[in-house]
Amino acid sequence: DVIYAGDLKGNVWKFDVSAALPSSWDVAFHLGATPKPLFVAKDALNNEQPITAQLTVAVDNIVGDSNFGKRFVFFGTGAFFRTPDLTDTSIQTWYGVVDDDVEVSGRSELKQRSVVAEGTIDGKNVRAFEAAVAGDMAGKKGWYLDLKKMDNTALGERIVTASRVYKFAEPTLVAASIIPVIDPCIPGGTGYLNALSPYTGGRLTAGFYDVNGNGSFSDDVI
């Protein structure tokens, strides 16, 4: 009975369509008569981040989690359909925002996650995300992960496709990111296939990718 949508100004809109009469459907939050979003995606410098990927919704079903039973809205930011997008290197972000029927004021209410290791396995570029610590999501309305290198270099990485939640050995959030390359010999550029824990934004506790293709998920480490 709710619909979520993002826009190019970083707004995450929540529409309440629970009423029997469509004429009563409306944006879920208002300031007076002015519609308000659930959340506005902005980088550390307060720049609005465009949302062009589909939003994904899931409920935290991990007993003991700080946000157990709460609804998360997952999405990445960035655009790749306009000419200026090709050379845009602004920092984009992957988000998991809690919707408990209250507006989220900004990233200060979210837990920041980071890339903590970078390297290669079997000739492939790989990276690892920081681990969540028990209780570090307490009082947080979700998490965010800036898509940049450990040295803060921004390569124009962005997420323009939907994130997906899977029920594997542990709940897993997966999203592909892209890094455009302005070279006719490298169509589409490069990027990463990212996986982390959906309800903490931390890295998975078990091996997930068999990067070197040897049939083992325990030795693909950096």
Side-chain angles (χ1 to χ4, degrees):
D1 290 331
V2 294
I3 297 172
Y4 297 92
D7 67 25
L8 293 177
K9 294 185 179 294
N11 296 302
V12 176
W13 296 101
K14 177 183 178 182
F15 300 94
D16 182 352
V17 294
S18 60
L21 294 176
S23 59
S24 297
W25 297 350
D26 198 0
V27 175
F29 305 107
H30 292 83
L31 179 60
T34 303
K36 299 284 288 184
L38 167 67
F39 176 76
V40 182
K42 295 183 178 180
D43 65 19
L45 299 178
N46 211 38
N47 298 307
E48 296 170 347
Q49 298 171 302
I51 302 171
T52 57
Q54 178 186 356
L55 280 65
T56 297
V57 179
V59 174
D60 184 349
N61 61 353
I62 307 301
V63 176
D65 271 5
S66 299
N67 290 302
F68 172 70
K70 293 184 179 181
R71 182 188 304 127
F72 276 73
V73 182
F74 303 107
F75 60 96
T77 68
F80 193 50
F81 68 96
R82 304 163 296 190
T83 300
D85 294 336
L86 293 172
T87 54
D88 183 6
T89 58
S90 58
I91 293 177
Q92 303 300 329
T93 307
W94 199 7
Y95 289 97
V97 177
V98 172
D99 174 19
D100 54 2
D101 298 320
V102 178
E103 293 174 60
V104 179
S105 63
R107 60 169 52 197
S108 63
E109 291 199 73
L110 310 179
K111 177 66 179 179
Q112 181 179 10
R113 299 299 185 194
S114 304
V115 175
V116 295
E118 298 168 330
T120 60
I121 297 176
D122 197 35
K124 303 176 181 69
N125 291 328
V126 296
R127 65 185 177 190
F129 304 125
E130 72 173 281
V133 177
D136 71 358
M137 289 293 291
K140 297 297 182 179
K141 293 295 188 71
W143 54 266
Y144 71 93
L145 172 70
D146 285 335
L147 301 173
K148 59 183 180 179
K149 294 178 65 65
M150 290 176 60
D151 63 3
N152 290 323
T153 300
L155 300 177
E157 184 178 2
R158 66 205 72 182
I159 295 176
V160 296
T161 54
S163 302
R164 298 298 186 197
V165 178
Y166 296 94
K167 296 179 180 179
F168 295 136
E170 57 185 313
T172 303
L173 180 69
V174 178
S177 60
I178 63 169
I179 303 171
V181 174
I182 311 304
D183 185 337
C185 297
I186 310 177
T190 62
Y192 289 92
L193 185 58
N194 307 279
L196 46 68
S197 176
Y199 309 119
T200 66
R203 69 169 176 256
L204 300 173
T205 60
F208 185 73
Y209 292 118
D210 180 13
V211 181
N212 57 19
N214 69 347
S216 172
F217 292 84
S218 62
D219 62 348
D220 301 279
V221 296
I222 53 174

